[in-house]
Amino acid sequence: QTLQVNATAFSYDYENLQVTSFDANSVSAITINADGADVDGFEVDFMWNPADIDGLTVRGAAAFVDSNYKDFISTCWTGQSPAAGCNVDVIPGGNPEGLDLSGEELMRAPEFSANVGFSYERTIMNGNLLLGIGGDVSYSDSYDNMQQRKQGTRQPSYSKVNASVSVSSADDSWTVALIGRNLTDEILRGIGQNVPLTGSGTGTVDAVPSDSFNLMAERGREIVLQFTIRPGLFGK
């Protein structure tokens, strides 16, 4: 049997960091100076082929990440009031129009994520066919999808399951596979944004919050029956 394990620790210190944010008022992307960020973490992965089960491979990986901005005063989301966090004087003596994200985690940076899976192959029908079975489970902690951390745009923690079973000819000239993707039917949120032309009074006590939306990051549950033919292999 073989067991391979890899582990990596890392520490990044970003200086003069710039981040891109969507401005709903001008309907455009703007670049903001975020000073810097610290990212520390640890990753480990493994692959195992047990000697007593020929054709089986088990694999997995996990990552722990601690990320945060240093000194970062961001723009507020449209219609954010001082009570909701839009309370930093970007211009001393002016109206509060900044959001302090110093020490907050970076976008799309879950603290913990992991996956584990397997694949198994064996010949059947007196060696005329090859059976393949596989599956994997992945997990992620929650993470922010919008720079300004607006309520309703954060991705909750989730788990996804994929699985497949296939039958192939011994010469690999054809394959029939039943494939299940995202069997837990997780609807993952993509980048979160303010809806243009909604919300007003940003930075004031009379602020009216904008509407918000998330782009869909991945498809929901899929069940696929796949036929593959490789004409160049017939007769070989």
Side-chain angles (χ1 to χ4, degrees):
Q1 66 180 14
T2 60
L3 174 62
Q4 178 179 325
V5 179
N6 303 299
T8 304
F10 55 87
S11 179
Y12 297 102
D13 181 5
Y14 294 95
E15 300 290 344
N16 302 315
L17 180 66
Q18 293 183 319
V19 297
T20 301
S21 180
F22 177 73
D23 181 28
N25 293 321
S26 62
V27 195
S28 62
I30 60 174
T31 300
I32 308 170
N33 293 321
D35 183 51
D38 291 317
V39 180
D40 303 307
F42 178 79
E43 296 178 346
V44 60
D45 65 79
F46 76 92
M47 182 175 293
W48 178 43
N49 300 105
D52 53 345
I53 307 179
D54 188 39
L56 175 65
T57 298
V58 181
R59 59 192 178 274
F64 304 85
V65 179
D66 178 30
S67 66
N68 58 80
Y69 292 108
K70 294 180 181 178
D71 298 315
F72 180 23
I73 305 302
S74 169
T75 56
C76 302
W77 47 265
T78 307
Q80 185 177 15
S81 67
C86 186
N87 51 22
V88 178
D89 286 343
V90 177
I91 301 175
N95 292 324
E97 292 184 355
L99 173 63
D100 188 359
L101 294 180
S102 303
E104 296 289 334
E105 70 179 17
L106 275 62
M107 279 183 59
R108 303 182 66 81
E111 289 185 343
F112 175 71
S113 59
N115 65 78
V116 63
F118 78 97
S119 59
Y120 176 66
E121 290 186 341
R122 63 167 296 174
T123 57
I124 57 175
M125 302 293 292
N126 297 319
N128 294 315
L129 298 176
L130 179 66
L131 173 67
I133 302 173
D136 61 80
V137 180
S138 60
Y139 170 82
S140 173
D141 274 346
S142 62
Y143 51 83
D144 282 300
N145 270 321
M146 184 172 176
Q147 191 64 63
Q148 295 90 347
R149 276 60 176 165
K150 187 178 182 182
Q151 184 178 6
T153 62
R154 185 175 176 87
Q155 170 63 50
S157 60
Y158 65 88
S159 298
K160 290 201 310 177
V161 177
N162 303 313
S164 66
V165 59
S166 66
V167 176
S168 305
S169 61
D171 61 2
D172 201 33
S173 61
W174 59 264
T175 302
V176 179
L178 181 62
I179 302 169
R181 304 188 184 103
N182 190 12
L183 294 175
T184 47
D185 199 25
E186 294 286 347
I187 305 301
L188 303 187
R189 301 172 180 177
I191 298 297
Q193 306 288 4
N194 296 301
V195 176
L197 307 180
T198 65
S200 61
T202 305
T204 70
V205 294
D206 297 321
V208 177
S210 63
D211 296 328
S212 58
F213 71 94
N214 285 87
L215 301 174
M216 181 179 288
E218 296 184 30
R219 296 176 180 177
R221 182 187 296 116
E222 294 180 289
I223 307 294
V224 179
L225 183 60
Q226 179 176 285
F227 298 88
T228 303
I229 299 177
R230 305 174 183 86
L233 296 179
F234 277 104
K236 293 186 178 181

